[in-house]
């Protein structure tokens, strides 16, 4: 677990006790901080107290159950001080005097009342990545590579991590992928932390100076959290502002917003690496990195690895052995010569477009909880679509959009779509789940959607 003497004796309010929130509480307490924590989910509050070193430290849920807040000393305090945990509904507290409000990236700080309350009290609103940034000076000498972008950041993060591991460099993944960074043991000297950062996480971070920062693309997404598209793009740009003019900036300039950020950094000279659209790469030896979008992801990871001093031979070996990530153009089966591909992570049209470009004859399962009213970003791939199968809330709307350009049917459910697509697909065809939509209308999340797709495919004769 990462700890920091700078947190000792300070007061933190932590909102949200899912994985990153629970790890934040543990790290702060181990460092001797005073923590008031809350989650409206009673199960998460209970889970916090059932994890070492808080296991068995009593019962009671503070103000939400009509009781007094539950204070208890941390049972495994740092030698220099003792942390104190309070479970209490933060809405009932005066935040004046707290050193920070720590929230999960999922908390909409642009409209959450507690965020407004913190701002009124002059209390900084931060996330676990900012706490990691504050702890860096006390960790063994290391470097940080951070990857952001609307699409492709998980694949690029995992690929860079794999390249470093293949080269024998101590490394771990964190941020928006893998385990919370504060829950991990610090890397030994010479290690590299590879962080996937969403715009939400960047919003909650103020002092992370990355030795390597990567921007893959910016397309409209999450606009309910920002003052229009310009605000969303500005959030991505802050990753480079935090570098304070040092380190390496790697930017794919295939869209206008990313290109504008690159132009704003032109004074960096050799410290700025631009990836232009339309370049050609031999991807034939990289089975998990097919399609034009993965050419960009791969080149971004290659340039980042080179900036970190990884030899070319190790990079080549890693590209060949990389197996990809679940739910991202993942081949889950080949049956009767038909390839079934799980691209459930494609939750907007821009992230579906590369999958449509990567395969030939496609039976496309599309739909869910729509983020946009159009599928225009997918249009270049419509020529590859043999038939579309629309599901979820967007089924009728998407069927109407597609009816004049591709053969389409309203399947409604994923099970019906898989059955219909499997029945129609012939040898050499691809059945592709790439929904271009969020999953919450019918599934817990995109991972649940992808897992159910895999199970349906496995059940096919």
């Amino acid at each position: 677990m990462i700890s920091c003497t700078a947190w000792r004796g300070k007061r933190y309010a932590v909102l949200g006790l899912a994985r990153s929130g629970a790890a934040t509480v543990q790290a702060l307490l181990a460092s001797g901080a005073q923590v008031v924590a809350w989650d409206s989910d009673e199960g998460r509050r209970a889970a916090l107290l059932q994890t070492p070193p808080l296991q068995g430290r009593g019962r009671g849920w503070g103000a939400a159950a009509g009781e007094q807040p539950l204070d208890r000393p941390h049972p495994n305090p740092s030698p220099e001080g003792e942390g104190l945990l309070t479970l209490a509904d933060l809405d009932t507290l005066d935040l004046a005097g707290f050193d920070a409000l720590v929230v999960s990236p999922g908390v909409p700080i642009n409209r959450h009342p507690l965020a407004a309350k913190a701002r009124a009290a002059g209390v900084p609103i931060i996330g676990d990545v900012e706490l990691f940034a504050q702890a860096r000076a006390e960790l063994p000498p290391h470097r940080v590579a951070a990857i952001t972008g609307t699409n492709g950041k998980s694949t690029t993060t995992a690929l860079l991590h794999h390249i470093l591991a293949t080269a024998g460099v101590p490394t771990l993944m964190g941020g928006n992928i893998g385990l919370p960074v504060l829950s991990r043991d610090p890397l030994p000297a010479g290690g590299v932390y590879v962080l996937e950062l969403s715009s939400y996480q960047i919003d909650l971070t103020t002092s992370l100076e990355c030795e390597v920062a990567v921007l893959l693309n910016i397309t409209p997404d999450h606009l309910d959290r920002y003052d229009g598209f310009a605000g969303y793009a500005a959030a991505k740009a802050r990753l480079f502002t935090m570098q304070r003019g040092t380190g390496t900036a790697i930017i794919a300039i295939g869209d206008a917003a990313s290109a504008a950020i690159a132009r704003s950094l032109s004074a960096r000279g050799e410290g700025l690496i631009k990836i232009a659209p339309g370049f050609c790469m031999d991807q034939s030896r990289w089975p998990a990195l097919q399609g034009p979008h993965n050419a960009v992801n791969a080149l971004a990871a290659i340039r980042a690895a080179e900036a970190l001093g990884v030899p070319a031979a190790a990079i080549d070996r890693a590209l060949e052995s990389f197996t990809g990530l679940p739910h991202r153009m993942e081949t889950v089966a080949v049956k009767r010569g038909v390839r079934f591909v799980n691209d459930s992570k494609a939750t907007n049209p821009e992230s579906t477009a590369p999958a449509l470009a990567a395969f030939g004859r496609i039976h496309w399962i599309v739909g869910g909880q729509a983020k946009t009213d159009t599928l225009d970003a997918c249009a270049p791939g419509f020529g590859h679509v043999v038939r579309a199968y629309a599901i979820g809330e967007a089924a009728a709307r998407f069927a109407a959009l597609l009816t004049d350009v591709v053969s389409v049917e309203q399947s409604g459910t994923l099970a019906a779509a898989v059955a219909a697509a499997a029945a129609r697909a012939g040898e050499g065809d691809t059945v592709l789940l790439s929904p271009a939509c969020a999953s919450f209308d019918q599934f817990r999340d995109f991972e649940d959607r992808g897992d159910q797709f895999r199970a349906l495919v496995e059940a096919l004769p």
Side-chain angles (χ1 to χ4, degrees):
M1 178 183 300
I2 289 175
S3 61
C4 178
T5 59
W7 304 334
R8 187 186 311 137
K10 290 186 176 180
R11 298 181 69 203
Y12 294 89
V14 178
L15 176 63
L17 297 175
R19 289 197 305 174
S20 64
T24 295
V25 170
Q26 296 283 357
L28 290 171
L29 292 176
S31 302
Q34 299 178 45
V35 179
V36 180
W38 190 250
D39 194 300
S40 59
D41 186 326
E42 183 175 344
R44 288 178 178 171
R45 301 197 302 266
L48 176 67
L49 296 181
Q50 293 304 313
T51 55
L54 293 174
Q55 188 171 0
R57 297 301 298 179
R59 297 183 298 174
W61 304 118
E67 305 172 2
Q68 291 300 310
L70 176 61
D71 292 346
R72 58 170 62 85
H74 188 264
N76 185 27
S78 63
E80 300 84 2
E82 183 176 89
L84 185 70
L85 172 64
T86 302
L87 288 176
D89 188 340
L90 299 181
D91 288 337
T92 68
L93 297 183
D94 181 0
L95 293 180
F98 280 83
D99 291 279
L101 169 64
V102 188
V103 302
S104 72
V107 174
I109 59 174
N110 62 323
R111 60 181 185 272
H112 197 285
L114 191 61
K117 186 176 177 181
R119 293 189 189 97
V123 176
I125 305 170
I126 64 173
D128 64 327
V129 175
E130 172 58 23
L131 289 172
F132 167 73
Q134 295 173 11
R136 289 189 66 188
E138 299 184 21
L139 300 178
H142 63 277
R143 289 174 291 176
V144 171
I147 294 94
T148 195
T150 305
N151 301 305
K153 53 186 178 292
S154 293
T155 294
T156 306
T157 300
L159 177 57
L160 179 56
H161 174 258
H162 178 68
I163 292 171
L164 291 164
T166 300
V169 178
T171 183
L172 62 79
M173 290 191 299
N176 205 40
I177 191 171
L179 296 174
V181 66
L182 294 180
S183 71
R184 309 295 295 274
D185 290 335
L187 290 171
V192 178
Y193 296 85
V194 184
L195 305 180
E196 176 191 332
L197 298 183
S198 68
S199 59
Y200 300 166
Q201 288 168 310
I202 297 172
D203 289 340
L204 298 170
T205 307
T206 60
S207 64
L208 182 68
E209 296 188 50
C210 304
E211 282 71 22
V212 177
V214 178
L215 172 62
L216 298 168
N217 47 64
I218 306 177
T219 57
D221 202 6
H222 308 306
L223 299 187
D224 59 321
R225 291 276 291 261
Y226 296 98
D227 184 15
F229 180 71
Y232 173 57
K236 297 291 191 184
R238 288 192 56 255
L239 181 63
F240 302 99
T241 303
M242 288 188 287
Q243 285 186 299
R244 305 183 192 281
T246 63
T248 300
I250 300 170
I251 302 178
I253 56 172
D255 60 86
S258 297
I261 292 173
R263 287 194 298 271
S264 74
L265 302 177
S266 59
R268 294 196 184 187
E270 293 183 357
L272 171 63
I273 299 172
K274 294 183 284 187
I275 299 175
F279 62 88
C280 295
M281 297 182 69
D282 178 9
Q283 297 164 254
S284 61
R285 294 176 294 112
W286 310 339
L289 294 166
Q290 297 302 297
H293 68 303
N294 272 326
V296 175
N297 296 339
L299 187 55
I302 290 167
R303 295 291 179 257
E306 290 171 344
L308 293 165
V310 178
I315 295 175
D316 289 341
R317 291 198 307 274
L319 290 166
E320 293 178 8
S321 61
F322 182 63
T323 57
L325 291 172
H327 314 296
R328 296 160 178 86
M329 287 179 57
E330 172 195 18
T331 298
V332 297
V334 177
K335 295 193 172 187
R336 297 179 289 105
V338 177
R339 181 185 300 272
F340 292 83
V341 175
N342 168 20
D343 194 36
S344 183
K345 183 62 169 64
T347 59
N348 57 55
E350 288 77 13
S351 55
T352 287
L356 295 180
F359 303 102
R361 289 174 50 85
I362 297 171
H363 294 261
W364 178 26
I365 301 175
V366 58
Q369 191 175 74
K371 293 183 177 181
T372 69
D373 292 328
T374 76
L375 290 171
D376 291 351
C378 300
F382 286 166
H384 295 177
V385 177
V386 177
R387 190 172 182 84
Y389 308 80
I391 65 172
E393 286 182 6
R397 185 192 318 172
F398 281 7
L401 290 173
L402 294 170
T403 190
D404 292 332
V405 289
V406 302
S407 176
V408 59
E409 64 184 67
Q410 290 188 49
S411 298
T413 66
L414 180 60
V418 169
R424 288 180 175 271
E427 185 173 353
D429 290 358
T430 297
V431 174
L432 171 68
L433 170 66
S434 191
C437 285
S439 58
F440 303 117
D441 56 334
Q442 295 179 317
F443 305 93
R444 182 180 66 252
D445 50 31
F446 77 85
E447 293 169 321
D448 178 40
R449 179 170 60 190
D451 289 341
Q452 291 196 37
F453 175 75
R454 183 186 295 107
L456 289 165
V457 171
E458 289 174 349
L460 291 171

